[in-house]
């Protein structure tokens, strides 16, 4: 399906972020060298790119399944949407805990690390479900016309005006996170 190819670059970008976040979590779990700014930037990526942009693109796929008759609040579509809601909750927890940690609350440190760990686990499971369940369903149920409509919707999201931050800004966030993890090691 064309949509899978369109989303592939975004998925690789998010996978890179998750790998960097995972490295940071390993170091943060082993030593006190981790800094709260890492988790603040990670939450910025989650709340600024992953949720409003990447998940919006994924949601186009779920809408296509709904148009094929899948229920929006149960089954595979409902499960994916529940993960969206959970990812938003967790990213807010990471952001709040990291800011508390920055303000000197040591309890924020443990909470930021735990929530970020929960977030990475959730997103890894989410990507597996997308690959092994949603994509095969799309291949099976969506017509050629439906594929064209999905591609159009994805392109509208891709080329929409971005008032808050450019895609380059999110690449810079990942670079900053990578650099910080290297300093901790």
């Amino acid at each position: 399906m064309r949509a899978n190819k369109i989303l592939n670059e975004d998925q690789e970008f998010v996978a890179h972020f998750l790998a960097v976040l995972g490295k940071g979590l390993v170091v943060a779990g082993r030593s006190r060298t981790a800094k709260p700014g890492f988790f603040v930037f990670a939450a910025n990526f989650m709340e600024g790119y992953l949720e409003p942009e990447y998940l919006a693109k994924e949601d186009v796929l779920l809408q296509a399944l709904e148009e094929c008759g899948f229920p929006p609040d149960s089954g595979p579509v409902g499960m994916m949407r529940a993960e969206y809601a959970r990812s938003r909750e967790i990213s807010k927890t990471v952001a709040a805990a990291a800011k508390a940690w920055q303000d000197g609350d040591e309890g924020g440190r443990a909470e930021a690390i735990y929530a970020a760990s929960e977030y990475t686990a959730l997103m890894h499971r989410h990507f597996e479900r997308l690959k092994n369940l949603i994509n095969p369903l799309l291949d099976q149920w969506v017509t050629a016309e439906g594929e064209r409509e999905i591609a159009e919707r994805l392109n509208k999201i891709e080329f929409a005006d971005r008032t808050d931050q450019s895609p380059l800004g999110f690449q810079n966030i990942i670079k900053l996170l990578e650099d910080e993890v290297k300093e901790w090691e």
Side-chain angles (χ1 to χ4, degrees), residues 8-81:
N8 192 42
E9 189 175 316
D10 288 287
Q11 290 168 340
E12 288 175 10
F13 187 54
V14 172
H16 185 146
F17 165 74
L18 293 173
V20 172
L21 182 57
K23 272 184 167 178
L25 287 167
V26 168
V27 175
R30 281 190 275 144
S31 72
R32 289 281 193 192
T33 58
K35 304 288 185 244
F38 176 87
F39 294 94
V40 170
F41 277 115
N44 287 343
F45 183 89
M46 293 170 197
E47 293 176 328
Y49 172 78
L50 216 153
E51 293 165 4
E53 190 159 329
Y54 174 75
L55 292 181
K57 290 177 184 177
E58 245 188 46
D59 199 57
V60 169
L61 304 179
L62 301 182
Q63 290 169 14
L65 287 176
E66 284 179 38
E67 291 166 8
C68 293
F70 287 83
D73 54 357
S74 63
V77 174
M79 189 181 324
M80 294 292 280
R81 292 225 169 96

Side-chain angles (χ1 to χ4, degrees), residues 13 16-17 20 45 170-178:
F13 187 54
H16 185 146
F17 165 74
V20 172
F45 183 89
F170 295 113
Q171 291 172 347
N172 289 338
I173 287 175
I174 293 175
K175 177 75 172 114
L176 285 169
L177 294 173
E178 285 176 320

Side-chain angles (χ1 to χ4, degrees), residues 1 15 17 26 29 36 43 48-49 64 73-74 100 107 115 117 122 127 129 138 142 144 154 156-157 159 174:
M1 169 174 260
F17 165 74
V26 168
Y49 172 78
D73 54 357
S74 63
S117 176
L122 173 76
F127 278 150
R129 195 175 333 278
L138 289 164
V142 175
L154 289 173
K156 282 182 184 175
I157 294 170
F159 297 109
I174 293 175

